[in-house]
Amino acid sequence: VFAFLELADGMRFRDAVDYLAGKAGVDLPGAQSGSGRKAGPRPTPAPVVTQAYNPERDRRAREDERRKAFDIWRERRPVAGTAAEAYLCEARGIRRDVFADCPSLGFLPECKYWIVGDDDRPECIGAWPALVAALQQPSGKFAAVHVTYLQPDGSDKLILFERPGKRRPAKKVRGQPVGA
């Protein structure tokens, strides 16, 4: 309910709590009036900036994302003798013969890890070894690539922190995986 008021009416969390407490007749410690806030009109919503739907722009963005995924896939190397093989065998317990001839698996010794920076622009924060897997549509057409970033020795997935207590994902998908 709080999230709904935050999103629908642009309220801050505390305003949503005060508003609902007032509606329910509940006194909250530290409330603005000391005895709970009366349920009055909702605060004015924050302005919402929208962009007109542009199917051509969306199609170009999807195609660009698929192209970036294919560029990653094109750079792959065989898994044998790499950190990806160590990860699959030792960390995951998968026998080599299960994946040895799998054409949809590969290895990248240095796969860039991209994030969206503070200025909403892509920013590379480093490059690590990665196990990559091609995802295909039922027609067989390449759709996306699944990337699992690894510790340099392949002992486990990459552990990378955004901030203390908040890990960045070790697995990412590039391209259009829907239906693949």
Side-chain angles (χ1 to χ4, degrees):
V1 174
F2 301 114
F4 175 79
L5 289 172
E6 288 176 277
L7 293 171
D9 289 349
M11 290 184 182
R12 291 177 308 140
F13 177 77
R14 183 65 201 199
D15 292 335
V17 170
D18 289 344
Y19 173 77
L20 290 171
K23 286 284 269 187
V26 175
D27 288 337
L28 293 177
Q32 290 177 350
S33 67
S35 62
R37 195 173 183 185
K38 297 287 183 215
R42 293 182 185 175
T44 305
V48 176
V49 179
T50 60
Q51 208 174 25
Y53 176 66
N54 182 330
E56 181 58 23
R57 181 184 60 229
D58 286 356
R59 185 197 64 75
R60 283 192 312 264
R62 284 191 307 273
E63 186 57 32
D64 185 50
E65 182 66 17
R66 192 189 69 77
R67 197 174 11 264
K68 288 176 185 174
F70 191 71
D71 288 346
I72 292 170
W73 179 245
R74 238 189 353 228
E75 297 296 319
R76 78 193 181 285
R77 298 178 183 173
V79 171
T82 67
E85 183 180 58
Y87 170 72
L88 291 170
C89 293
E90 295 160 26
R92 299 299 306 252
I94 301 170
R95 294 186 333 266
R96 280 178 183 77
D97 63 300
V98 171
F99 63 84
D101 296 322
C102 182
S104 62
L105 290 179
F107 172 72
L108 291 172
E110 290 188 346
C111 187
K112 292 181 179 178
Y113 194 107
W114 293 89
I115 64 167
V116 176
D118 293 334
D119 58 358
D120 289 334
R121 298 177 95 161
E123 173 185 343
C124 177
I125 61 169
W128 289 274
L131 171 66
V132 293
L135 303 177
Q136 297 177 329
Q137 296 172 342
S139 66
K141 182 179 176 184
F142 178 87
V145 65
H146 184 281
V147 179
T148 303
Y149 292 92
L150 303 172
Q151 296 290 341
D153 63 358
S155 61
D156 203 354
K157 293 181 287 211
L158 181 68
I159 298 173
L160 188 62
F161 286 92
E162 181 176 332
R163 61 180 184 271
K166 174 81 167 128
R167 285 175 67 166
R168 293 191 183 278
K171 297 179 180 182
K172 292 188 172 193
V173 176
R174 294 296 306 257
Q176 296 296 311
V178 177

